[in-house]
Amino acid sequence: MRKILSIAFVMFMGSISIAFAQIIQPEPDYCTIQATAVCDEYGAIKVNWTAMTTPFGLGPNSGRVVVRIDDTSNGWFGTGDKWWATNYDEFLASGQSPYQGEWTFFQEYGVNQNVRVAVNPVPGDYDSAGLCSTNVITVNCEDPNSPVDPDPDPDPDPDPDDKLSFLDVSEEHENYDAIFYAADNGIVSGYSDTTFRPENSIQRDQFTKILIGAKFSESEIDACDDLPFPDVTSTDVFRKYICVAEKEGIVSGYSNGLYGSKNTITLGEASKIISNTYGYTTSTSIGPDNDVFKPFLQALGVLGALPDSITYISEKITRAEMVEVIYRLENGLATLPGISYEELREKEDSKDFGLATISTVSAVLASPPQVSEVEVTGMLPNNCYDIEGYDILRDGSSYTITLHSSVDANVTCSNQSQETFTTMIPLNAFGIEVGTYQIIVNGSIVDVSVGYQS
């Protein structure tokens, strides 16, 4: 018997029919992996990888990507070395695909570290090369908090305008003052390649570290030893910052009890942490309309802390926007161009699917590296609307997809009749097993079976 890890279906106004031929998992023929390893702004080794393999697939019970880090003093698997794999619970909880992922590792500062990324089946014991692997990548990360060595021959007449610089932040950048305020005051730092990467998103644990590190003393942080969330372990480098945040009522985690350290933080989540850290609201504040982020965004909006570059409550806040909010709060800059909670709420609501109708949903759910995707067709209210994006939540055997549409209120619609749309949505299907999977698209539910073929 051969395992079928793909199926296709179509929904026509609530009915389901098979639309595509089943695809059998290909026979073993290759295994390749590419990776990079660089030092990030926290002195950690950030590893990115892309793998392609068909001998067994990558998933919790099939295959894994393994990252090995050696400090070069005693060979692979020596004392102090790191061995980590994508079938660990912490990675599975992050929602990333093992075929293309990113993880950070904290090793000893100022020491050459050899990094090798490999592919292994599960179970199985392999040497550092694995079934296939990258070449060894050597990095040496410095402690971002260590003092800079003084100039042995200081300039007797230093230029008062000399200051820290980032290659990707010019004086014309809209967040220039905020970025250098945060850097000069030790709130954030740049990357080892002298960039700041202002448009990058931020993980929840990194964001928590920045805010707690800016407002609490080292002794307060170091004294906090609790592990308040099941997905925050004793090996997490930011565990003490998260401990302080939970202890002080600044954060409370998700409704499932987890903290989601590696999740990208949204504006709404960031507003709660910022407001609670600076004492503008309390973590128990809930809007009368059950909008959990309303009191935090209102507080920051009244203070003029939210830059007008921010658009949606449920989407990421960038590194530049984060330091802009902190810069405005710490300097009382309430008159700079900003955005209010009410304006944000209006924009957020415009993302709702509104009066659009879903006509058909078709999909292929396949074991990687085959492509899994959903095709959705339907009707938009008129030609002023467009599909702006989508959110996907995978919870075990269920995919919940929310399509967002938006309309420009300043444009006069030339055609008031409904407009058709078609959109393709990629699905992450790593680790799929035999069974029934449910796919929900804006409330329309379809079931798809994954099984065997003789």
Side-chain angles (χ1 to χ4, degrees):
M1 297 177 69
R2 290 179 293 177
K3 192 174 183 180
I4 294 294
L5 288 182
S6 67
I7 196 165
F9 63 90
V10 174
M11 179 188 73
F12 291 98
M13 301 303 290
S15 63
I16 305 172
S17 62
I18 301 298
F20 301 94
Q22 292 176 325
I23 303 172
I24 299 174
Q25 191 175 12
E27 297 298 324
D29 57 6
Y30 64 89
C31 174
T32 63
I33 186 165
Q34 296 178 324
T36 61
V38 298
C39 299
D40 71 6
E41 62 174 313
Y42 305 103
I45 302 172
K46 178 178 288 188
V47 180
N48 286 269
W49 67 88
T50 300
M52 295 189 70
T53 176
T54 59
F56 43 80
L58 293 176
N61 302 310
S62 51
R64 61 197 172 197
V65 169
V66 174
V67 178
R68 295 178 172 91
I69 304 177
D70 164 54
D71 68 4
T72 73
S73 65
N74 49 19
W76 296 107
F77 304 109
T79 302
D81 294 346
K82 172 73 73 174
W83 193 101
W84 179 92
T86 55
N87 61 346
Y88 285 8
D89 288 344
E90 59 182 1
F91 181 79
L92 297 176
S94 74
Q96 296 188 68
S97 167
Y99 285 88
Q100 187 170 24
E102 174 184 289
W103 209 256
T104 53
F105 305 90
F106 280 83
Q107 297 293 94
E108 184 178 355
Y109 295 124
V111 175
N112 284 344
Q113 304 282 353
N114 286 339
V115 181
R116 174 173 274 172
V117 187
V119 173
N120 284 350
V122 176
D125 294 322
Y126 290 79
D127 62 17
S128 60
L131 186 67
C132 64
S133 70
T134 64
N135 293 327
V136 172
I137 307 167
T138 302
V139 294
N140 189 321
C141 300
E142 299 178 356
D143 183 349
N145 298 314
S146 62
V148 178
D149 291 335
D151 188 343
D153 185 21
D155 185 351
D157 298 307
D159 186 346
D161 293 329
D162 283 348
K163 62 189 300 184
L164 180 69
S165 63
F166 297 115
L167 296 177
D168 55 348
V169 181
S170 68
E171 291 188 11
E172 289 72 36
H173 194 284
E174 61 179 335
N175 306 113
Y176 177 86
D177 290 337
I179 290 170
F180 285 99
Y181 170 83
D184 291 341
N185 286 276
I187 298 172
V188 296
S189 57
Y191 291 84
S192 57
D193 61 358
T194 323
T195 62
F196 184 77
R197 305 179 194 177
E199 303 309 313
N200 277 16
S201 59
I202 315 165
Q203 294 176 175
R204 280 170 58 85
D205 58 355
Q206 295 173 345
F207 189 87
T208 305
K209 185 265 182 188
I210 291 170
L211 267 294
I212 298 301
K215 301 301 290 184
F216 290 84
S217 67
E218 289 186 14
S219 61
E220 289 176 302
I221 296 169
D222 190 59
C224 201
D225 292 320
D226 294 340
L227 299 174
F229 304 100
D231 59 336
V232 177
T233 68
S234 59
T235 60
D236 288 338
V237 71
F238 299 131
R239 65 188 183 279
K240 289 184 177 289
Y241 298 92
I242 297 172
C243 172
V244 172
E246 193 276 337
K247 183 179 179 181
E248 296 294 327
I250 294 171
V251 301
S252 56
Y254 292 115
S255 58
N256 62 3
L258 302 179
Y259 191 64
S261 297
K262 302 304 179 184
N263 291 356
T264 297
I265 197 164
T266 66
L267 170 63
E269 295 169 342
S271 72
K272 177 178 179 179
I273 296 176
I274 294 172
S275 296
N276 286 341
T277 300
Y278 281 85
Y280 298 128
T281 53
T282 66
S283 62
T284 57
S285 299
I286 300 293
D289 49 4
N290 204 35
D291 185 343
V292 295
F293 299 125
K294 181 176 182 178
F296 312 112
L297 290 166
Q298 280 184 324
L300 297 178
V302 169
L303 293 167
L306 301 173
D308 56 8
S309 62
I310 293 174
T311 53
Y312 296 116
I313 298 170
S314 61
E315 294 188 3
K316 75 173 185 178
I317 183 172
T318 66
R319 283 168 53 82
E321 290 167 344
M322 172 196 67
V323 296
E324 182 70 34
V325 174
I326 295 173
Y327 171 62
R328 294 185 181 198
L329 289 175
E330 296 203 345
N331 293 277
L333 303 175
T335 60
L336 295 177
I339 191 169
S340 67
Y341 164 77
E342 289 72 23
E343 291 171 313
L344 282 169
R345 185 74 263 170
E346 183 178 352
K347 288 188 175 185
E348 188 75 18
D349 291 342
S350 74
K351 293 174 63 179
D352 292 344
F353 206 76
L355 301 175
T357 301
I358 297 176
S359 302
T360 68
V361 177
S362 62
V364 173
L365 189 59
S367 177
Q370 299 174 86
V371 176
S372 296
E373 59 188 4
V374 173
E375 181 181 75
V376 182
T377 66
M379 304 295 294
L380 291 166
N382 53 54
N383 69 324
C384 281
Y385 281 80
D386 198 4
I387 299 296
E388 184 179 61
Y390 53 84
D391 298 319
I392 302 177
L393 174 64
R394 181 179 178 183
D395 184 8
S397 60
S398 174
Y399 291 87
T400 300
I401 302 172
T402 305
L403 291 174
H404 302 302
S405 64
S406 63
V407 61
D408 188 343
N410 297 317
V411 174
T412 301
C413 297
S414 59
N415 183 359
Q416 292 298 323
S417 62
Q418 290 189 336
E419 294 281 319
T420 60
F421 75 88
T422 300
T423 186
M424 301 296 296
I425 303 169
L427 289 181
N428 179 353
F430 77 91
I432 60 172
E433 302 289 347
V434 174
T436 300
Y437 287 78
Q438 186 177 78
I439 299 181
I440 307 168
V441 182
N442 286 66
S444 297
I445 302 175
V446 292
D447 292 325
V448 55
S449 296
V450 175
Y452 286 99
Q453 176 173 298
S454 300

